[in-house]
Amino acid sequence: MHKYSSSQVESFAALGIVNTTTEPAFRCAARMFSNSLRGKAVLDFGCGAGRSTMFVKALGARTVIGADINKEMIRLAKKKYNSHGLAFYNVTGRIPFRDSYFDSAFTAHMLVESRTTKEMLAVLTEIYRVLKPSSTLVIVTSNPKALGHEYKVGYTKRKKGLKSGDRVDTVINGRPSFTIKDTYWTEQDYHRAISQAGFKLVKASYPLAKGKGWLDETKVAPNIVYKCMKT
Ligand SMILES: C[S@@+](CC[C@H](N)C(=O)[O-])C[C@H]1O[C@@H](n2cnc3c(N)ncnc32)[C@H](O)[C@@H]1O
């Protein structure tokens, strides 16, 4: 995972969704869930400071549990969103819920913080464990084809000769701007980890932004959105 400094966590916590580079992917995720979250218990794994958890709650979920390895992110998420009926847990590896507890799960911008394919598989396997059979996991993750493109809020610098597992710099234009050490993964890496964890990949989307005020978000999708099903 990336080691966020306190000021990076504060800057990340101040980011919203609307008008940011992630907006098209979150809109797409909302379509993938359609109305399936109404009244359900949902997990947001790698919830950061809680914007993605709040997003899931706004789709009609009854309960949303945000889980993250970073204590400072969880502290800010609790401060910002506890009054919205969300609950947040600091986790290292194990999600503190029984097998097949959740009706659905979401994970956004988390897989690129896995440093090895083994680590990526471990987090997906743990999400799989706590999901009910036939339930949906929606993943938002960086599009490897987006490297080097210019985006409003987050863009990943292109490097020559990248291989799976190499570190890449993602610049987040927050206040202040900062750089996250992400990991370069190909689509094949994502597909392999998804299926090895036991999920069926149902759909992959490459959502573009529409309208004015964007940079390359209208030309090359910054993120891929995967709809997966627990088989
Ligand atoms: C870029 S942030 C995204 C946060 C949030 N999902 C959002 O979209 O705003 C990625 C988060 O994933 C968390 N993370 C990375 N690896 C993790 C792991 N193995 N277990 C739990 N959380 C993890 C990081 O601590 C970080 O808060």
Side-chain angles (χ1 to χ4, degrees), residues 1-4 9 12-13 15-17 22 26 44-53 67-71 73-74 89-95 106-115 119-120 122-123 140 172 178 180 182:
M1 91 211 99
H2 173 72
K3 287 200 169 67
Y4 292 82
V9 171
F12 196 86
L15 290 174
I17 295 169
T22 204
F26 274 53
D44 176 24
F45 191 81
C47 63
R51 68 172 178 169
S52 47
T53 324
D68 201 286
I69 201 163
N70 185 309
K71 279 190 186 148
M73 289 282 192
I74 290 294
Y89 290 78
N90 182 221
V91 295
T92 41
R94 197 180 151 80
I95 300 165
F106 184 52
T107 185
H109 307 299
M110 189 274 304
L111 289 185
V112 283
E113 293 201 16
S114 296
R115 296 309 187 209
E119 204 181 313
M120 190 178 346
V123 291
V140 170
I172 307 289
F178 62 97
I180 298 181
D182 275 341

Side-chain angles (χ1 to χ4, degrees), residues 149-163:
H149 285 277
E150 222 190 311
Y151 297 117
K152 269 173 81 174
V153 174
Y155 66 92
T156 304
K157 292 184 183 168
R158 188 190 292 283
K159 272 196 207 163
K160 278 194 179 152
L162 274 176
K163 335 181 269 321

Side-chain angles (χ1 to χ4, degrees), residues 15-25 51 152-154 209 214 217:
L15 290 174
I17 295 169
V18 176
N19 285 328
T20 72
T21 299
T22 204
E23 184 189 334
R51 68 172 178 169
K152 269 173 81 174
V153 174
W214 299 100
E217 285 92 345

